[in-house]
PDB file of all heavy atoms in Angstrom:
ATOM      1  N   PRO N   8     -25.624 -30.529 -16.403  1.00  0.00           N
ATOM      2  CA  PRO N   8     -25.199 -31.655 -17.260  1.00  0.00           C
ATOM      3  C   PRO N   8     -24.288 -32.647 -16.303  1.00  0.00           C
ATOM      4  O   PRO N   8     -23.463 -32.239 -15.509  1.00  0.00           O
ATOM      5  CB  PRO N   8     -24.251 -30.884 -18.295  1.00  0.00           C
ATOM      6  CG  PRO N   8     -23.871 -29.607 -17.695  1.00  0.00           C
ATOM      7  CD  PRO N   8     -24.961 -29.209 -16.781  1.00  0.00           C
ATOM      8  N   GLU N  18     -30.532 -30.183  -9.229  1.00  0.00           N
ATOM      9  CA  GLU N  18     -29.946 -29.645  -8.125  1.00  0.00           C
ATOM     10  C   GLU N  18     -30.069 -30.791  -6.926  1.00  0.00           C
ATOM     11  O   GLU N  18     -29.021 -30.890  -6.166  1.00  0.00           O
ATOM     12  CB  GLU N  18     -30.479 -28.391  -7.673  1.00  0.00           C
ATOM     13  CG  GLU N  18     -30.054 -27.153  -8.791  1.00  0.00           C
ATOM     14  CD  GLU N  18     -30.739 -25.951  -8.520  1.00  0.00           C
ATOM     15  OE1 GLU N  18     -31.482 -25.861  -7.450  1.00  0.00           O
ATOM     16  OE2 GLU N  18     -30.567 -24.994  -9.271  1.00  0.00           O
ATOM     17  N   ALA N  69     -16.564 -32.928  -4.573  1.00  0.00           N
ATOM     18  CA  ALA N  69     -16.942 -32.275  -5.860  1.00  0.00           C
ATOM     19  C   ALA N  69     -15.784 -32.606  -6.879  1.00  0.00           C
ATOM     20  O   ALA N  69     -16.073 -32.601  -8.129  1.00  0.00           O
ATOM     21  CB  ALA N  69     -16.830 -30.776  -5.650  1.00  0.00           C
ATOM     22  N   VAL N 208       9.975  -8.608  -4.582  1.00  0.00           N
ATOM     23  CA  VAL N 208       8.835  -7.727  -5.123  1.00  0.00           C
ATOM     24  C   VAL N 208       7.877  -7.182  -4.093  1.00  0.00           C
ATOM     25  O   VAL N 208       7.478  -6.072  -4.327  1.00  0.00           O
ATOM     26  CB  VAL N 208       8.160  -8.622  -6.273  1.00  0.00           C
ATOM     27  CG1 VAL N 208       7.326  -9.712  -5.509  1.00  0.00           C
ATOM     28  CG2 VAL N 208       7.118  -7.651  -6.964  1.00  0.00           C
ATOM     29  N   ASP N 236      -6.877   7.561  13.420  1.00  0.00           N
ATOM     30  CA  ASP N 236      -6.734   8.715  14.294  1.00  0.00           C
ATOM     31  C   ASP N 236      -5.210   9.233  14.090  1.00  0.00           C
ATOM     32  O   ASP N 236      -4.536   9.677  14.980  1.00  0.00           O
ATOM     33  CB  ASP N 236      -6.790   8.471  15.773  1.00  0.00           C
ATOM     34  CG  ASP N 236      -8.366   8.177  16.132  1.00  0.00           C
ATOM     35  OD1 ASP N 236      -9.134   8.394  15.094  1.00  0.00           O
ATOM     36  OD2 ASP N 236      -8.614   7.600  17.257  1.00  0.00           O
ATOM     37  N   VAL N 265      -2.436 -13.251  -1.269  1.00  0.00           N
ATOM     38  CA  VAL N 265      -2.240 -13.240   0.160  1.00  0.00           C
ATOM     39  C   VAL N 265      -3.438 -12.686   0.934  1.00  0.00           C
ATOM     40  O   VAL N 265      -3.978 -11.640   0.582  1.00  0.00           O
ATOM     41  CB  VAL N 265      -0.918 -12.337   0.472  1.00  0.00           C
ATOM     42  CG1 VAL N 265      -0.683 -12.308   1.996  1.00  0.00           C
ATOM     43  CG2 VAL N 265       0.314 -12.785  -0.142  1.00  0.00           C
ATOM     44  N   ARG N 322      19.274  22.637   2.280  1.00  0.00           N
ATOM     45  CA  ARG N 322      20.071  21.496   2.575  1.00  0.00           C
ATOM     46  C   ARG N 322      20.773  21.779   3.863  1.00  0.00           C
ATOM     47  O   ARG N 322      21.510  22.725   3.991  1.00  0.00           O
ATOM     48  CB  ARG N 322      20.969  21.167   1.507  1.00  0.00           C
ATOM     49  CG  ARG N 322      21.817  19.940   1.711  1.00  0.00           C
ATOM     50  CD  ARG N 322      22.833  19.554   0.598  1.00  0.00           C
ATOM     51  NE  ARG N 322      23.785  20.698   0.237  1.00  0.00           N
ATOM     52  CZ  ARG N 322      24.750  21.012   0.942  1.00  0.00           C
ATOM     53  NH1 ARG N 322      25.326  20.235   1.735  1.00  0.00           N
ATOM     54  NH2 ARG N 322      25.639  21.997   0.493  1.00  0.00           N
ATOM     55  N   GLU N 355       8.420  22.646  10.294  1.00  0.00           N
ATOM     56  CA  GLU N 355       8.981  22.993  11.603  1.00  0.00           C
ATOM     57  C   GLU N 355       8.003  22.329  12.747  1.00  0.00           C
ATOM     58  O   GLU N 355       8.537  22.083  13.712  1.00  0.00           O
ATOM     59  CB  GLU N 355       9.109  24.468  11.840  1.00  0.00           C
ATOM     60  CG  GLU N 355      10.071  24.999  10.946  1.00  0.00           C
ATOM     61  CD  GLU N 355      11.537  24.609  11.055  1.00  0.00           C
ATOM     62  OE1 GLU N 355      11.826  24.225  12.184  1.00  0.00           O
ATOM     63  OE2 GLU N 355      12.281  24.525  10.072  1.00  0.00           O
ATOM     64  N   ASN N 394       6.567   5.340  -7.211  1.00  0.00           N
ATOM     65  CA  ASN N 394       5.408   5.914  -6.957  1.00  0.00           C
ATOM     66  C   ASN N 394       4.389   4.981  -6.514  1.00  0.00           C
ATOM     67  O   ASN N 394       4.469   3.742  -6.849  1.00  0.00           O
ATOM     68  CB  ASN N 394       4.750   6.546  -8.182  1.00  0.00           C
ATOM     69  CG  ASN N 394       5.703   7.686  -8.876  1.00  0.00           C
ATOM     70  OD1 ASN N 394       6.473   8.295  -8.156  1.00  0.00           O
ATOM     71  ND2 ASN N 394       5.723   7.805 -10.237  1.00  0.00           N
ATOM     72  N   ILE N 445      -3.423  -0.629  -6.033  1.00  0.00           N
ATOM     73  CA  ILE N 445      -2.255   0.165  -5.801  1.00  0.00           C
ATOM     74  C   ILE N 445      -1.292  -0.026  -7.008  1.00  0.00           C
ATOM     75  O   ILE N 445      -0.929  -1.318  -7.291  1.00  0.00           O
ATOM     76  CB  ILE N 445      -1.497  -0.130  -4.521  1.00  0.00           C
ATOM     77  CG1 ILE N 445      -2.360  -0.175  -3.326  1.00  0.00           C
ATOM     78  CG2 ILE N 445      -0.360   0.963  -4.221  1.00  0.00           C
ATOM     79  CD1 ILE N 445      -1.671  -0.577  -2.008  1.00  0.00           C
ATOM     80  N   PHE N 447       2.405   0.470  -8.124  1.00  0.00           N
ATOM     81  CA  PHE N 447       3.822   0.759  -7.731  1.00  0.00           C
ATOM     82  C   PHE N 447       4.623   0.838  -9.089  1.00  0.00           C
ATOM     83  O   PHE N 447       4.760  -0.189  -9.882  1.00  0.00           O
ATOM     84  CB  PHE N 447       4.493  -0.283  -6.930  1.00  0.00           C
ATOM     85  CG  PHE N 447       3.827  -0.274  -5.550  1.00  0.00           C
ATOM     86  CD1 PHE N 447       2.842  -1.244  -5.232  1.00  0.00           C
ATOM     87  CD2 PHE N 447       4.361   0.382  -4.501  1.00  0.00           C
ATOM     88  CE1 PHE N 447       2.244  -1.266  -4.033  1.00  0.00           C
ATOM     89  CE2 PHE N 447       3.767   0.382  -3.178  1.00  0.00           C
ATOM     90  CZ  PHE N 447       2.692  -0.495  -2.939  1.00  0.00           C
ATOM     91  N   GLN N 448       4.926   2.135  -9.410  1.00  0.00           N
ATOM     92  CA  GLN N 448       5.597   2.236 -10.810  1.00  0.00           C
ATOM     93  C   GLN N 448       6.463   3.541 -10.738  1.00  0.00           C
ATOM     94  O   GLN N 448       6.348   4.287  -9.903  1.00  0.00           O
ATOM     95  CB  GLN N 448       4.517   2.307 -11.904  1.00  0.00           C
ATOM     96  CG  GLN N 448       3.511   3.449 -11.581  1.00  0.00           C
ATOM     97  CD  GLN N 448       2.193   3.400 -12.441  1.00  0.00           C
ATOM     98  OE1 GLN N 448       1.835   2.240 -12.768  1.00  0.00           O
ATOM     99  NE2 GLN N 448       1.720   4.599 -12.774  1.00  0.00           N
ATOM    100  N   LEU N 453      -0.983  10.899 -14.347  1.00  0.00           N
ATOM    101  CA  LEU N 453      -1.197  12.085 -15.224  1.00  0.00           C
ATOM    102  C   LEU N 453      -0.527  11.949 -16.573  1.00  0.00           C
ATOM    103  O   LEU N 453       0.641  11.571 -16.766  1.00  0.00           O
ATOM    104  CB  LEU N 453      -0.614  13.237 -14.387  1.00  0.00           C
ATOM    105  CG  LEU N 453      -0.678  14.624 -15.153  1.00  0.00           C
ATOM    106  CD1 LEU N 453      -2.200  14.962 -15.267  1.00  0.00           C
ATOM    107  CD2 LEU N 453       0.068  15.690 -14.369  1.00  0.00           C
TER     108      LEU N 453
END
Side-chain angles (χ1 to χ4, degrees):
E18 293 172 2
V208 64
D236 295 345
V265 173
R322 176 178 62 85
E355 296 297 329
N394 300 326
I445 314 178
F447 294 92
Q448 58 191 33
L453 177 64

